[in-house]
Amino acid sequence: IRTFQGTAIVVYSVAVSPDGKYLVTGNWDKTARLWDISTGQEIRIFAGHAKFVHSVAFSPDGKYVVTGSGDKTAKLWNLLTGELIRTFKGHSDVVDSVAISPDGMFLVTGSEDHTAKLWNLMTGEKIRTFKGHTDWVKSVAISPDGKYVVTGGQDGTLELWDITTGVEIKTLQQSRDMGGAVDSVAISPNGKYLASARGFTAKLWNL
């Protein structure tokens, strides 16, 4: 249909707004960029990170954008004005992935410091840290009912956590012959299935 192209920059991540009107990209040039899907025009640039923007997500109401960066932080932005609302600090390495809960209250970040963290999206308060991976946390997702967090690691494992208590419920070990990290995770809208991508393989699991 169209190509969204501004300057010659590497694009790390993309997300589409809940109403389908906007696309946001996370970029190597330390910015996130907002695009009009119907026209392909760049609307605004979210600038403030000190290193590349590795991950992006929209809030469920479409009013905010979250970015995760190589500068070890995540940031919350006003979609319409581009204003930086707050910065989430607490990780000791790159923030590779971000996810917002379906009710818009919580943010989960996954980092190369081997942890994921749960934050209050509106206050910036760090609520808890999920520790269990032995390598980078490359991907995160929150279940549709908001009860669980899934993390995918460089160690080749998937971890399922209780979002309220922080307790690890189960570990799913991918076959070693797949190779590499769990780079992407997604939960089905009905909350019954988990999809993961690792190496040359995608896998579907029962939750």
Side-chain angles (χ1 to χ4, degrees):
I1 299 173
R2 63 179 44 85
T3 299
F4 300 88
Q5 187 171 346
T7 55
I9 54 174
V10 175
V11 176
Y12 271 124
S13 54
V14 295
V16 176
S17 63
D19 62 9
K21 293 181 179 179
Y22 304 108
L23 173 77
V24 66
T25 59
N27 310 298
W28 175 257
D29 68 353
K30 309 174 189 176
T31 72
R33 295 169 186 254
L34 185 68
W35 308 80
D36 186 304
I37 283 183
S38 63
T39 65
Q41 295 299 305
E42 183 182 291
I43 299 172
R44 68 178 43 86
I45 297 175
F46 303 98
H49 282 291
K51 290 189 177 181
F52 56 85
V53 175
H54 210 285
S55 49
V56 292
F58 281 96
S59 62
D61 60 9
K63 294 180 179 180
Y64 306 101
V65 170
V66 169
T67 54
S69 171
D71 64 10
K72 308 175 187 177
T73 72
K75 293 182 183 291
L76 178 67
W77 310 82
N78 184 297
L79 178 73
L80 295 181
T81 66
E83 173 193 4
L84 173 61
I85 299 172
R86 68 179 43 86
T87 298
F88 301 86
K89 297 180 180 180
H91 284 293
S92 60
D93 211 329
V94 175
V95 177
D96 276 327
S97 52
V98 294
I100 300 175
S101 62
D103 60 9
M105 293 179 61
F106 303 107
L107 167 68
V108 173
T109 54
S111 171
E112 293 183 11
D113 66 7
H114 304 185
T115 73
K117 294 183 185 295
L118 180 69
W119 313 79
N120 184 303
L121 187 66
M122 290 298 107
T123 68
E125 175 194 4
K126 183 177 69 176
I127 299 171
R128 64 180 46 87
T129 299
F130 303 97
K131 295 181 179 181
H133 287 282
T134 59
D135 211 326
W136 302 351
V137 177
K138 297 285 290 181
S139 48
V140 296
I142 302 175
S143 62
D145 60 10
K147 294 181 178 180
Y148 306 105
V149 172
V150 171
T151 56
Q154 183 79 15
D155 58 9
T157 65
L158 291 155
E159 306 276 359
L160 179 67
W161 311 84
D162 185 301
I163 199 170
T164 302
T165 65
V167 172
E168 180 185 315
I169 299 171
K170 69 171 82 169
T171 299
L172 302 172
Q173 176 73 54
Q174 301 247 54
S175 300
R176 294 190 180 277
D177 58 3
M178 292 180 186
V182 180
D183 287 311
S184 183
V185 294
I187 300 174
S188 63
N190 63 10
K192 293 182 178 180
Y193 306 108
L194 167 65
S196 63
R198 183 186 182 206
F200 299 103
T201 305
K203 247 187 161 178
L204 189 67
W205 311 77
N206 275 312
L207 277 181

